[in-house]
């Protein structure tokens, strides 16, 4: 395959919007995944868990929800004996609820949680740093979901084996996150 060649694509029409994905190969081991549409609150945890099970590591990305529609772009790399990435339906993976109930132990080197909702457009701001490991993003998303906190905007990056992830999180359905949920996340 040539660099930046499209590997696979899928769209599913829905009543109000189309959801789908497009996968492009960047080089021998790196891919770019674009995902869009109306997705459930736990989509990122499910996608992350499914990718982890397939031996795929997200190394960079961004996602944003606007008017209930997500637009996401992720760069990922395969690890060891990874699943054939062209055979994965990434939209189904995001919808499968694979991450539910799983919150692997992760060790954070940096944890910043700013609960000033006015400063962040009605969201709490969370920034974490740690050594990268397969499944880190899914574990972090599931930890937030345990307290009914879900990202509305995501910026993730991995540089030299170190994770630097930022999340703007709200309550279920885009509601203002509760002080209690923010406090519980901060304590744990």
């Amino acid at each position: 395959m040539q660099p930046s060649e499209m590997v696979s694509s899928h769209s599913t029409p829905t009543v109000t919007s189309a959801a789908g994905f497009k996968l492009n190969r960047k080089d021998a081991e790196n891919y770019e995944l674009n995902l869009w549409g109306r997705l459930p609150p736990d989509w990122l945890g499910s996608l992350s868990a499914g990718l982890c099970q397939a031996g795929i590591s997200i190394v960079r990305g961004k996602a944003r929800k606007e008017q209930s529609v997500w637009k996401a772009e992720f760069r990922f790399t395969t690890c060891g004996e990874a699943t054939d990435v062209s055979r994965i339906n990434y939209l189904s993976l995001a919808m499968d609820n694979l991450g539910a109930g799983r919150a692997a132990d992760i060790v954070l080197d940096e944890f910043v949680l700013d609960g000033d909702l006015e400063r962040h457009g009605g969201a709490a701001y969370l920034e974490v740093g740690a050594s990268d490991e397969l499944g880190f993003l899914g574990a972090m998303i599931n930890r937030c979901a345990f307290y009914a906190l879900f990202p509305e905007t995501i910026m993730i990056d991995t540089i030299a084996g170190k994770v630097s992830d930022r999340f703007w999180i709200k309550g279920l359905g885009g509601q203002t996150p509760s002080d209690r949920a923010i406090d519980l996340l901060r304590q744990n």
Side-chain angles (χ1 to χ4, degrees), residues 25-109:
R25 184 177 208 157
K26 293 304 190 182
D27 59 37
E29 296 176 351
N30 294 286
Y31 298 83
E32 179 179 272
L33 172 66
N34 291 283
L35 188 68
W36 61 88
R38 291 187 186 269
L39 302 170
D42 61 348
W43 74 271
L44 185 56
S46 295
L47 177 67
S48 298
L51 293 176
C52 179
Q53 289 174 2
I56 296 170
S57 178
I58 298 173
V59 294
R60 181 171 292 118
K62 59 184 176 180
R64 184 175 183 88
K65 184 170 115 178
E66 293 181 6
Q67 299 178 345
S68 300
V69 176
W70 280 96
K71 292 181 183 174
E73 177 183 305
F74 298 107
R75 291 271 178 120
F76 66 79
T77 187
T78 56
C79 303
E81 297 293 320
T83 302
D84 180 357
V85 298
S86 67
R87 296 184 176 266
I88 298 172
N89 182 327
Y90 296 91
L91 185 57
S92 292
L93 212 56
M95 304 284 199
D96 278 344
N97 201 22
L98 291 171
R102 292 189 208 140
D105 290 331
I106 53 177
V107 177
L108 300 175
D109 299 330

Side-chain angles (χ1 to χ4, degrees), residues 120-134:
H120 303 289
Y125 172 78
L126 174 62
E127 184 173 338
V128 295
S131 294
D132 189 26
E133 60 182 276
L134 191 61

